Amino acid sequence: MLFIANFLDFISPRFCTSCNQKLTINEKFICEICFSKISELTEQEIISEYERKFSKSNLVDNYTSLFKFEEKSNIQDLIHALKYNQKFKIGIFLGEILGQKKKKVLNSWQIDLIIPIPLFHLKKIERGYNQAEYIGKGLMKSLGLKLDNSIAKRVKNTQSQTKLNSNERAENMNEAFSIKNKKRIEGKNILIVDDVITTGITVLELAKKLKEYGAAKVYCLSIATPLISHTIGSSNAQN
Ligand SMILES: [Zn+2]
């Protein structure tokens, strides 16, 4: 096997998604140096993000996330390659890391089923795959959890959330999902998986549907979460 890996590396070298250096046999997608520079969220940051995004609604029972999503960072490069460069296997790679790092909390949630945030079908055709499904597959591999990508469907082609205010965002996502096969989620603890959770509105909308259809608990997990600096937005000085 090592011989084959060596040979494949020789004929088709692989490069780091951040620094573009050739990867060694043991490295996948990102070199060790670039990977070591990605910052993880602290326990306190995760708790405050949960409170800010989810706690009021009573729809998401708990949430966790691994990395701090920062602009022009190595984690942004990795997730960008996962979503836009056809490197869907990065999803499995990151899902396995999530599984290892979050094993304790995920076990305590007693998850019955992973549901990756679905993409609208035209978007899936355009991209060729749903990146969240691959993250879920990595989790399946490392934790032995079940995944079902046929239960939730995205029935609304929502526009990008970035230019909308919070009311418009909620309206944009309203009724964005439909649920098939209610029996599969009734009384079950569900884990929603996504790559990056920014506003949390998409997750809330799916969680609302899952609870409507009888899910017992709904949890949420993402690779990364951006932290919004409290000085931005709340600042009324400067200009
Ligand atoms: Zn690198």
Side-chain angles (χ1 to χ4, degrees):
M1 275 311 277
L2 188 64
F3 170 77
I4 296 168
N6 265 313
F7 180 69
L8 286 176
D9 237 33
F10 174 71
I11 56 166
S12 165
R14 300 161 304 120
F15 300 93
C16 172
T17 49
S18 283
C19 69
N20 266 318
Q21 295 287 315
K22 193 169 172 284
L23 295 173
T24 65
I25 291 214
N26 298 318
E27 289 168 339
K28 280 180 176 177
F29 308 107
I30 182 167
C31 74
E32 259 177 52
I33 295 168
C34 290
F35 188 75
S36 71
K37 289 179 186 158
I38 301 176
S39 358
E40 289 188 16
L41 294 157
T42 65
E43 207 49 51
Q44 193 46 53
E45 284 165 339
I46 294 168
I47 293 168
S48 7
E49 285 304 298
Y50 174 74
E51 280 169 4
R52 208 161 62 79
K53 294 181 164 90
F54 301 121
S55 68
K56 268 184 240 152
S57 71
N58 280 326
L59 294 168
V60 176
D61 295 274
N62 213 336
Y63 138 95
T64 193
S65 184
L66 184 56
F67 298 115
K68 249 175 239 183
F69 189 84
E70 293 162 317
E71 291 293 319
K72 298 191 169 70
S73 66
N74 296 342
I75 190 64
Q76 187 186 33
D77 293 336
L78 254 185
I79 290 173
H80 192 276
L82 162 67
K83 287 169 82 167
Y84 306 111
N85 297 349
Q86 297 294 311
K87 297 205 169 159
F88 52 87
K89 285 187 178 165
I90 291 177
I92 299 179
F93 168 71
L94 290 171
E96 284 186 284
I97 294 171
L98 269 179
Q100 289 153 16
K101 296 257 188 181
K102 298 288 177 182
K103 191 175 177 173
K104 211 170 141 194
V105 63
L106 293 175
N107 281 342
S108 76
W109 292 346
Q110 298 183 298
I111 304 297
D112 296 303
L113 199 60
I114 298 172
I115 297 190
I117 288 268
L119 286 181
F120 187 64
H121 67 281
L122 289 178
K123 203 159 183 182
K124 190 169 171 180
I125 290 167
E126 188 191 330
R127 186 168 294 165
Y129 54 92
N130 175 4
Q131 71 280 0
E133 259 173 58
Y134 282 88
I135 299 165
K137 283 180 185 177
L139 283 167
M140 276 172 78
K141 262 176 93 176
S142 63
L143 297 176
L145 294 170
K146 280 190 220 149
L147 177 148
D148 199 318
N149 57 14
S150 67
I151 292 171
K153 258 206 151 66
R154 195 147 177 164
V155 288
K156 206 166 147 188
N157 193 10
T158 49
Q159 49 177 309
S160 166
Q161 301 273 74
T162 44
K163 292 201 175 92
L164 305 175
N165 68 34
S166 64
N167 284 338
E168 289 167 336
R169 281 175 177 178
E171 181 52 37
N172 186 35
M173 284 313 298
N174 189 29
E175 298 298 321
F177 298 103
S178 76
I179 303 293
K180 281 202 308 188
N181 223 330
K182 181 177 178 215
K183 280 206 174 112
R184 300 259 269 288
I185 58 168
E186 259 173 348
K188 297 280 165 49
N189 296 341
I190 312 279
L191 180 68
I192 298 176
V193 171
D194 205 357
D195 47 65
V196 180
I197 291 171
T198 309
T199 61
I201 289 170
T202 313
V203 170
L204 280 171
E205 189 62 33
L206 179 56
K208 185 174 88 186
K209 276 280 160 197
L210 292 170
K211 289 251 163 116
E212 248 173 60
Y213 283 80
K217 300 264 184 190
V218 176
Y219 299 99
C220 163
L221 167 73
S222 73
I223 298 289
T225 300
L227 297 179
I228 295 164
S229 157
H230 294 293
T231 54
I232 300 172
S234 62
S235 158
N236 46 19
Q238 303 302 319
N239 52 359

